[in-house]
Tab-separated table of all heavy atoms in Angstrom:
chain	number	residue	atom	x	y	z
A	1366	ILE	N	10.832	-13.825	8.177
A	1366	ILE	CA	11.611	-12.672	8.686
A	1366	ILE	C	11.550	-11.502	7.680
A	1366	ILE	O	11.352	-10.359	8.063
A	1366	ILE	CB	13.036	-13.074	9.014
A	1366	ILE	CG1	13.043	-14.013	10.169
A	1366	ILE	CG2	13.905	-11.852	9.229
A	1366	ILE	CD1	14.379	-14.719	10.427
A	1367	LEU	N	11.729	-11.798	6.444
A	1367	LEU	CA	11.769	-10.739	5.432
A	1367	LEU	C	10.423	-10.050	5.216
A	1367	LEU	O	10.353	-8.887	4.856
A	1367	LEU	CB	12.232	-11.307	4.067
A	1367	LEU	CG	13.718	-11.718	4.013
A	1367	LEU	CD1	13.995	-12.448	2.703
A	1367	LEU	CD2	14.596	-10.506	4.130
A	1368	THR	N	9.328	-10.762	5.467
A	1368	THR	CA	7.998	-10.188	5.233
A	1368	THR	C	7.293	-9.714	6.518
A	1368	THR	O	6.238	-9.093	6.436
A	1368	THR	CB	7.118	-11.213	4.512
A	1368	THR	OG1	7.025	-12.416	5.271
A	1368	THR	CG2	7.666	-11.541	3.125
A	1369	SER	N	7.862	-10.039	7.665
A	1369	SER	CA	7.224	-9.595	8.907
A	1369	SER	C	7.308	-8.084	9.069
A	1369	SER	O	8.244	-7.465	8.533
A	1369	SER	CB	7.918	-10.259	10.117
A	1369	SER	OG	7.714	-11.653	10.064
A	1370	VAL	N	6.371	-7.522	9.784
A	1370	VAL	CA	6.333	-6.071	10.027
A	1370	VAL	C	6.235	-5.763	11.489
A	1370	VAL	O	5.748	-6.589	12.289
A	1370	VAL	CB	5.195	-5.380	9.266
A	1370	VAL	CG1	5.349	-5.533	7.755
A	1370	VAL	CG2	3.822	-5.955	9.708
A	1371	ASN	N	6.709	-4.574	11.897
A	1371	ASN	CA	6.619	-4.156	13.260
A	1371	ASN	C	5.314	-3.399	13.494
A	1371	ASN	O	4.444	-3.386	12.633
A	1371	ASN	CB	7.845	-3.292	13.642
A	1371	ASN	CG	7.942	-2.018	12.848
A	1371	ASN	OD1	7.026	-1.573	12.182
A	1371	ASN	ND2	9.108	-1.378	12.917
A	1372	ASP	N	5.179	-2.739	14.634
A	1372	ASP	CA	3.922	-2.017	14.970
A	1372	ASP	C	3.617	-0.880	13.979
A	1372	ASP	O	2.451	-0.508	13.822
A	1372	ASP	CB	3.965	-1.464	16.394
A	1372	ASP	CG	3.995	-2.551	17.451
A	1372	ASP	OD1	3.574	-3.706	17.125
A	1372	ASP	OD2	4.421	-2.267	18.568
A	1373	GLU	N	4.642	-0.327	13.338
A	1373	GLU	CA	4.432	0.738	12.312
A	1373	GLU	C	4.281	0.189	10.944
A	1373	GLU	O	4.331	0.950	9.978
A	1373	GLU	CB	5.637	1.693	12.396
A	1373	GLU	CG	5.653	2.583	13.644
A	1373	GLU	CD	6.273	1.857	14.843
A	1373	GLU	OE1	7.176	1.013	14.625
A	1373	GLU	OE2	5.806	2.086	15.995
A	1374	GLN	N	4.124	-1.127	10.812
A	1374	GLN	CA	3.991	-1.812	9.558
A	1374	GLN	C	5.237	-1.718	8.668
A	1374	GLN	O	5.160	-1.800	7.452
A	1374	GLN	CB	2.760	-1.335	8.764
A	1374	GLN	CG	1.442	-1.541	9.514
A	1374	GLN	CD	1.190	-3.002	9.807
A	1374	GLN	OE1	1.244	-3.847	8.921
A	1374	GLN	NE2	0.987	-3.328	11.075
A	1375	GLU	N	6.401	-1.594	9.323
A	1375	GLU	CA	7.660	-1.530	8.579
A	1375	GLU	C	8.262	-2.949	8.554
A	1375	GLU	O	8.308	-3.630	9.584
A	1375	GLU	CB	8.649	-0.582	9.255
A	1375	GLU	CG	8.213	0.863	9.238
A	1375	GLU	CD	9.107	1.718	10.072
A	1375	GLU	OE1	9.521	1.308	11.172
A	1375	GLU	OE2	9.425	2.822	9.614
A	1376	ASN	N	8.748	-3.335	7.364
A	1376	ASN	CA	9.447	-4.625	7.266
A	1376	ASN	C	10.938	-4.397	7.463
A	1376	ASN	O	11.397	-3.264	7.689
A	1376	ASN	CB	9.148	-5.307	5.950
A	1376	ASN	CG	9.626	-4.547	4.726
A	1376	ASN	OD1	10.583	-3.820	4.763
A	1376	ASN	ND2	8.932	-4.750	3.609
A	1377	VAL	N	11.722	-5.456	7.404
A	1377	VAL	CA	13.183	-5.355	7.635
A	1377	VAL	C	13.863	-4.443	6.617
A	1377	VAL	O	14.825	-3.779	6.955
A	1377	VAL	CB	13.786	-6.792	7.693
A	1377	VAL	CG1	13.766	-7.456	6.343
A	1377	VAL	CG2	15.168	-6.729	8.295
A	1378	LEU	N	13.333	-4.411	5.403
A	1378	LEU	CA	13.920	-3.495	4.383
A	1378	LEU	C	13.670	-2.041	4.777
A	1378	LEU	O	14.580	-1.208	4.557
A	1378	LEU	CB	13.404	-3.826	2.995
A	1378	LEU	CG	14.043	-3.089	1.828
A	1378	LEU	CD1	15.564	-3.294	1.781
A	1378	LEU	CD2	13.406	-3.446	0.528
A	1379	HIS	N	12.481	-1.746	5.255
A	1379	HIS	CA	12.267	-0.357	5.767
A	1379	HIS	C	13.336	0.052	6.759
A	1379	HIS	O	13.919	1.114	6.693
A	1379	HIS	CB	10.891	-0.268	6.479
A	1379	HIS	CG	9.713	-0.128	5.608
A	1379	HIS	ND1	8.967	-1.221	5.243
A	1379	HIS	CD2	9.108	0.946	5.061
A	1379	HIS	CE1	7.955	-0.802	4.473
A	1379	HIS	NE2	8.004	0.496	4.359
A	1380	LEU	N	13.592	-0.855	7.712
A	1380	LEU	CA	14.539	-0.549	8.808
A	1380	LEU	C	15.979	-0.392	8.262
A	1380	LEU	O	16.706	0.526	8.661
A	1380	LEU	CB	14.441	-1.597	9.884
A	1380	LEU	CG	13.060	-1.773	10.489
A	1380	LEU	CD1	13.049	-2.947	11.446
A	1380	LEU	CD2	12.577	-0.498	11.138
A	1381	ALA	N	16.348	-1.277	7.352
A	1381	ALA	CA	17.698	-1.159	6.737
A	1381	ALA	C	17.861	0.138	5.964
A	1381	ALA	O	18.914	0.767	6.008
A	1381	ALA	CB	17.985	-2.370	5.848
A	1382	CYS	N	16.796	0.499	5.264
A	1382	CYS	CA	16.849	1.756	4.468
A	1382	CYS	C	16.876	2.974	5.398
A	1382	CYS	O	17.573	3.966	5.106
A	1382	CYS	CB	15.640	1.845	3.558
A	1382	CYS	SG	15.723	0.681	2.159
A	1383	GLU	N	16.134	2.919	6.519
A	1383	GLU	CA	16.205	3.995	7.477
A	1383	GLU	C	17.613	4.197	8.013
A	1383	GLU	O	18.050	5.333	8.247
A	1383	GLU	CB	15.235	3.733	8.636
A	1383	GLU	CG	13.787	3.949	8.284
A	1383	GLU	CD	12.840	3.622	9.420
A	1383	GLU	OE1	13.292	3.534	10.582
A	1383	GLU	OE2	11.634	3.438	9.135
A	1384	LEU	N	18.311	3.091	8.195
A	1384	LEU	CA	19.714	3.175	8.670
A	1384	LEU	C	20.670	3.627	7.563
A	1384	LEU	O	21.798	4.040	7.855
A	1384	LEU	CB	20.141	1.839	9.230
A	1384	LEU	CG	19.478	1.355	10.505
A	1384	LEU	CD1	19.852	-0.092	10.810
A	1384	LEU	CD2	19.775	2.266	11.625
A	1385	GLY	N	20.253	3.439	6.309
A	1385	GLY	CA	21.122	3.742	5.194
A	1385	GLY	C	22.269	2.755	5.054
A	1385	GLY	O	23.331	3.081	4.558
A	1386	ASN	N	22.012	1.520	5.454
A	1386	ASN	CA	23.060	0.493	5.447
A	1386	ASN	C	23.007	-0.231	4.069
A	1386	ASN	O	22.231	-1.174	3.893
A	1386	ASN	CB	22.797	-0.478	6.597
A	1386	ASN	CG	23.927	-1.473	6.765
A	1386	ASN	OD1	24.490	-1.974	5.804
A	1386	ASN	ND2	24.183	-1.803	7.992
A	1387	LYS	N	23.899	0.154	3.176
A	1387	LYS	CA	23.952	-0.399	1.826
A	1387	LYS	C	24.152	-1.922	1.805
A	1387	LYS	O	23.449	-2.621	1.067
A	1387	LYS	CB	25.049	0.279	1.021
A	1387	LYS	CG	25.178	-0.276	-0.403
A	1387	LYS	CD	26.325	0.358	-1.129
A	1387	LYS	CE	26.453	-0.285	-2.482
A	1387	LYS	NZ	27.571	0.246	-3.237
A	1388	GLU	N	25.047	-2.393	2.639
A	1388	GLU	CA	25.333	-3.819	2.651
A	1388	GLU	C	24.083	-4.627	3.104
A	1388	GLU	O	23.769	-5.679	2.526
A	1388	GLU	CB	26.501	-4.147	3.531
A	1388	GLU	CG	27.845	-3.618	3.025
A	1388	GLU	CD	28.095	-2.128	3.303
A	1388	GLU	OE1	27.406	-1.577	4.180
A	1388	GLU	OE2	28.868	-1.543	2.585
A	1389	LEU	N	23.413	-4.136	4.138
A	1389	LEU	CA	22.236	-4.818	4.621
A	1389	LEU	C	21.088	-4.739	3.610
A	1389	LEU	O	20.406	-5.727	3.399
A	1389	LEU	CB	21.812	-4.196	5.959
A	1389	LEU	CG	20.634	-4.885	6.657
A	1389	LEU	CD1	20.904	-6.370	6.853
A	1389	LEU	CD2	20.380	-4.212	8.012
A	1390	VAL	N	20.920	-3.590	2.974
A	1390	VAL	CA	19.881	-3.439	1.932
A	1390	VAL	C	20.158	-4.430	0.801
A	1390	VAL	O	19.240	-5.160	0.354
A	1390	VAL	CB	19.795	-2.005	1.406
A	1390	VAL	CG1	18.929	-1.927	0.172
A	1390	VAL	CG2	19.280	-1.055	2.495
A	1391	ASN	N	21.374	-4.532	0.331
A	1391	ASN	CA	21.735	-5.469	-0.730
A	1391	ASN	C	21.502	-6.893	-0.292
A	1391	ASN	O	21.010	-7.719	-1.039
A	1391	ASN	CB	23.166	-5.257	-1.204
A	1391	ASN	CG	23.328	-4.121	-2.183
A	1391	ASN	OD1	22.392	-3.837	-2.947
A	1391	ASN	ND2	24.420	-3.482	-2.159
A	1392	PHE	N	21.896	-7.225	0.940
A	1392	PHE	CA	21.716	-8.576	1.467
A	1392	PHE	C	20.203	-8.964	1.498
A	1392	PHE	O	19.840	-10.033	1.057
A	1392	PHE	CB	22.317	-8.675	2.883
A	1392	PHE	CG	22.111	-10.007	3.524
A	1392	PHE	CD1	22.887	-11.115	3.210
A	1392	PHE	CD2	21.115	-10.149	4.487
A	1392	PHE	CE1	22.689	-12.336	3.786
A	1392	PHE	CE2	20.881	-11.398	5.105
A	1392	PHE	CZ	21.698	-12.478	4.763
A	1393	ILE	N	19.409	-8.065	2.012
A	1393	ILE	CA	17.947	-8.310	2.081
A	1393	ILE	C	17.388	-8.469	0.665
A	1393	ILE	O	16.597	-9.385	0.419
A	1393	ILE	CB	17.235	-7.159	2.842
A	1393	ILE	CG1	17.659	-7.202	4.314
A	1393	ILE	CG2	15.750	-7.276	2.698
A	1393	ILE	CD1	17.266	-5.951	5.069
A	1394	CYS	N	17.769	-7.587	-0.249
A	1394	CYS	CA	17.255	-7.614	-1.617
A	1394	CYS	C	17.695	-8.906	-2.319
A	1394	CYS	O	16.899	-9.486	-3.053
A	1394	CYS	CB	17.664	-6.381	-2.397
A	1394	CYS	SG	16.792	-4.904	-1.835
A	1395	GLN	N	18.907	-9.295	-2.131
A	1395	GLN	CA	19.375	-10.537	-2.802
A	1395	GLN	C	18.585	-11.728	-2.287
A	1395	GLN	O	18.177	-12.595	-3.100
A	1395	GLN	CB	20.866	-10.781	-2.465
A	1395	GLN	CG	21.831	-9.854	-3.232
A	1395	GLN	CD	21.916	-10.221	-4.702
A	1395	GLN	OE1	21.489	-11.240	-5.162
A	1395	GLN	NE2	22.508	-9.347	-5.463
A	1396	ASN	N	18.379	-11.807	-0.993
A	1396	ASN	CA	17.604	-12.925	-0.450
A	1396	ASN	C	16.130	-12.888	-0.865
A	1396	ASN	O	15.577	-13.896	-1.214
A	1396	ASN	CB	17.694	-12.969	1.074
A	1396	ASN	CG	19.029	-13.525	1.562
A	1396	ASN	OD1	19.220	-14.726	1.470
A	1396	ASN	ND2	19.948	-12.678	1.958
A	1397	ALA	N	15.586	-11.714	-0.862
A	1397	ALA	CA	14.178	-11.558	-1.308
A	1397	ALA	C	14.054	-11.944	-2.768
A	1397	ALA	O	13.038	-12.570	-3.171
A	1397	ALA	CB	13.709	-10.153	-1.061
A	1398	LEU	N	15.024	-11.565	-3.584
A	1398	LEU	CA	15.003	-11.943	-5.002
A	1398	LEU	C	15.040	-13.452	-5.161
A	1398	LEU	O	14.271	-14.048	-5.931
A	1398	LEU	CB	16.194	-11.298	-5.726
A	1398	LEU	CG	16.325	-11.592	-7.217
A	1398	LEU	CD1	15.105	-11.067	-7.995
A	1398	LEU	CD2	17.614	-10.970	-7.745
A	1399	GLU	N	15.923	-14.080	-4.409
A	1399	GLU	CA	16.053	-15.535	-4.457
A	1399	GLU	C	14.735	-16.237	-4.078
A	1399	GLU	O	14.405	-17.278	-4.664
A	1399	GLU	CB	17.174	-15.949	-3.470
A	1399	GLU	CG	17.422	-17.473	-3.455
A	1399	GLU	CD	18.531	-17.827	-2.507
A	1399	GLU	OE1	19.461	-17.014	-2.290
A	1399	GLU	OE2	18.495	-18.957	-1.945
A	1400	TYR	N	14.005	-15.688	-3.107
A	1400	TYR	CA	12.773	-16.306	-2.680
A	1400	TYR	C	11.541	-15.807	-3.420
A	1400	TYR	O	10.411	-16.190	-3.078
A	1400	TYR	CB	12.570	-16.079	-1.159
A	1400	TYR	CG	13.699	-16.652	-0.360
A	1400	TYR	CD1	14.308	-15.885	0.643
A	1400	TYR	CD2	14.188	-17.936	-0.612
A	1400	TYR	CE1	15.357	-16.421	1.422
A	1400	TYR	CE2	15.262	-18.452	0.137
A	1400	TYR	CZ	15.805	-17.702	1.145
A	1400	TYR	OH	16.866	-18.211	1.902
A	1401	GLY	N	11.740	-14.921	-4.418
A	1401	GLY	CA	10.637	-14.462	-5.219
A	1401	GLY	C	9.735	-13.473	-4.528
A	1401	GLY	O	8.548	-13.318	-4.919
A	1402	ILE	N	10.236	-12.776	-3.502
A	1402	ILE	CA	9.389	-11.824	-2.804
A	1402	ILE	C	9.947	-10.380	-2.837
A	1402	ILE	O	9.483	-9.513	-2.096
A	1402	ILE	CB	9.213	-12.278	-1.317
A	1402	ILE	CG1	10.542	-12.350	-0.632
A	1402	ILE	CG2	8.407	-13.528	-1.197
A	1402	ILE	CD1	10.464	-12.566	0.883
A	1403	LEU	N	10.915	-10.151	-3.730
A	1403	LEU	CA	11.516	-8.826	-3.803
A	1403	LEU	C	10.498	-7.737	-4.067
A	1403	LEU	O	10.450	-6.712	-3.363
A	1403	LEU	CB	12.668	-8.813	-4.846
A	1403	LEU	CG	13.365	-7.480	-4.977
A	1403	LEU	CD1	14.069	-7.072	-3.654
A	1403	LEU	CD2	14.418	-7.558	-6.108
A	1404	LYS	N	9.674	-7.906	-5.063
A	1404	LYS	CA	8.659	-6.953	-5.435
A	1404	LYS	C	7.764	-6.659	-4.237
A	1404	LYS	O	7.388	-5.487	-4.002
A	1404	LYS	CB	7.846	-7.396	-6.630
A	1404	LYS	CG	6.924	-6.371	-7.153
A	1404	LYS	CD	6.257	-6.820	-8.460
A	1404	LYS	CE	5.320	-5.773	-8.998
A	1404	LYS	NZ	4.698	-6.182	-10.246
A	1405	PHE	N	7.424	-7.686	-3.512
A	1405	PHE	CA	6.524	-7.532	-2.347
A	1405	PHE	C	7.154	-6.661	-1.267
A	1405	PHE	O	6.521	-5.738	-0.766
A	1405	PHE	CB	6.188	-8.922	-1.788
A	1405	PHE	CG	5.367	-8.891	-0.511
A	1405	PHE	CD1	4.006	-8.608	-0.554
A	1405	PHE	CD2	5.967	-9.099	0.708
A	1405	PHE	CE1	3.262	-8.573	0.593
A	1405	PHE	CE2	5.237	-9.026	1.871
A	1405	PHE	CZ	3.872	-8.760	1.811
A	1406	ILE	N	8.426	-6.938	-0.908
A	1406	ILE	CA	9.021	-6.175	0.213
A	1406	ILE	C	9.404	-4.756	-0.218
A	1406	ILE	O	9.358	-3.837	0.603
A	1406	ILE	CB	10.174	-6.902	0.920
A	1406	ILE	CG1	11.367	-7.048	0.033
A	1406	ILE	CG2	9.716	-8.216	1.476
A	1406	ILE	CD1	12.604	-7.475	0.782
A	1407	ILE	N	9.729	-4.572	-1.479
A	1407	ILE	CA	10.086	-3.220	-1.969
A	1407	ILE	C	8.828	-2.328	-2.009
A	1407	ILE	O	8.899	-1.154	-1.707
A	1407	ILE	CB	10.748	-3.263	-3.342
A	1407	ILE	CG1	12.179	-3.762	-3.191
A	1407	ILE	CG2	10.735	-1.914	-4.026
A	1407	ILE	CD1	12.914	-3.923	-4.493
A	1408	ASN	N	7.723	-2.918	-2.363
A	1408	ASN	CA	6.450	-2.146	-2.480
A	1408	ASN	C	5.666	-2.078	-1.207
A	1408	ASN	O	4.613	-1.386	-1.161
A	1408	ASN	CB	5.594	-2.736	-3.598
A	1408	ASN	CG	6.227	-2.518	-4.955
A	1408	ASN	OD1	6.758	-1.454	-5.237
A	1408	ASN	ND2	6.221	-3.537	-5.792
A	1409	ALA	N	6.118	-2.721	-0.119
A	1409	ALA	CA	5.412	-2.691	1.146
A	1409	ALA	C	5.388	-1.265	1.695
A	1409	ALA	O	6.390	-0.549	1.627
A	1409	ALA	CB	6.059	-3.617	2.142
A	1410	LYS	N	4.213	-0.859	2.190
A	1410	LYS	CA	4.052	0.472	2.754
A	1410	LYS	C	3.875	0.426	4.254
A	1410	LYS	O	3.113	-0.414	4.775
A	1410	LYS	CB	2.893	1.190	2.072
A	1410	LYS	CG	3.160	1.472	0.634
A	1410	LYS	CD	2.020	2.197	-0.009
A	1410	LYS	CE	2.299	2.433	-1.469
A	1410	LYS	NZ	1.186	3.069	-2.154
A	1411	CYS	N	4.534	1.343	4.961
A	1411	CYS	CA	4.365	1.461	6.375
A	1411	CYS	C	3.026	2.139	6.682
A	1411	CYS	O	2.300	2.528	5.741
A	1411	CYS	CB	5.499	2.224	7.007
A	1411	CYS	SG	5.575	3.968	6.601
A	1412	GLU	N	2.707	2.352	7.951
A	1412	GLU	CA	1.424	2.937	8.265
A	1412	GLU	C	1.275	4.336	7.771
A	1412	GLU	O	0.186	4.899	7.647
A	1412	GLU	CB	1.184	2.893	9.789
A	1412	GLU	CG	2.133	3.687	10.623
A	1412	GLU	CD	1.920	3.560	12.100
A	1412	GLU	OE1	1.152	2.635	12.551
A	1412	GLU	OE2	2.445	4.340	12.866
A	1413	MET	N	2.406	4.995	7.413
A	1413	MET	CA	2.346	6.328	6.813
A	1413	MET	C	2.327	6.286	5.324
A	1413	MET	O	2.376	7.341	4.645
A	1413	MET	CB	3.534	7.149	7.315
A	1413	MET	CG	3.504	7.423	8.838
A	1413	MET	SD	4.750	8.538	9.398
A	1413	MET	CE	4.166	10.070	8.707
């Protein structure tokens, strides 16, 4: 779920950041850190 992307190549962190939802961004980052994929999802680039 954390690494999946939509048609615009946005992951769940992209979407949470677009909404500006601090709690959701922190939740995603905490889980990604726990699973060792934080760097991957933070550095993921959308189609733009």
Side-chain angles (χ1 to χ4, degrees):
I1366 290 168
L1367 290 171
T1368 58
S1369 295
V1370 296
N1371 62 14
D1372 292 340
E1373 289 81 34
Q1374 299 302 305
E1375 296 173 318
N1376 63 29
V1377 68
L1378 186 58
H1379 279 95
L1380 303 175
C1382 289
E1383 285 177 18
L1384 294 172
N1386 188 322
K1387 179 182 176 182
E1388 292 81 20
L1389 185 55
V1390 169
N1391 278 329
F1392 176 79
I1393 292 167
C1394 288
Q1395 286 288 348
N1396 282 285
L1398 179 63
E1399 181 179 329
Y1400 300 133
I1402 59 170
L1403 181 60
K1404 187 175 180 178
F1405 175 78
I1406 68 167
I1407 285 177
N1408 292 317
K1410 294 182 180 176
C1411 68
E1412 64 183 14
M1413 295 187 69

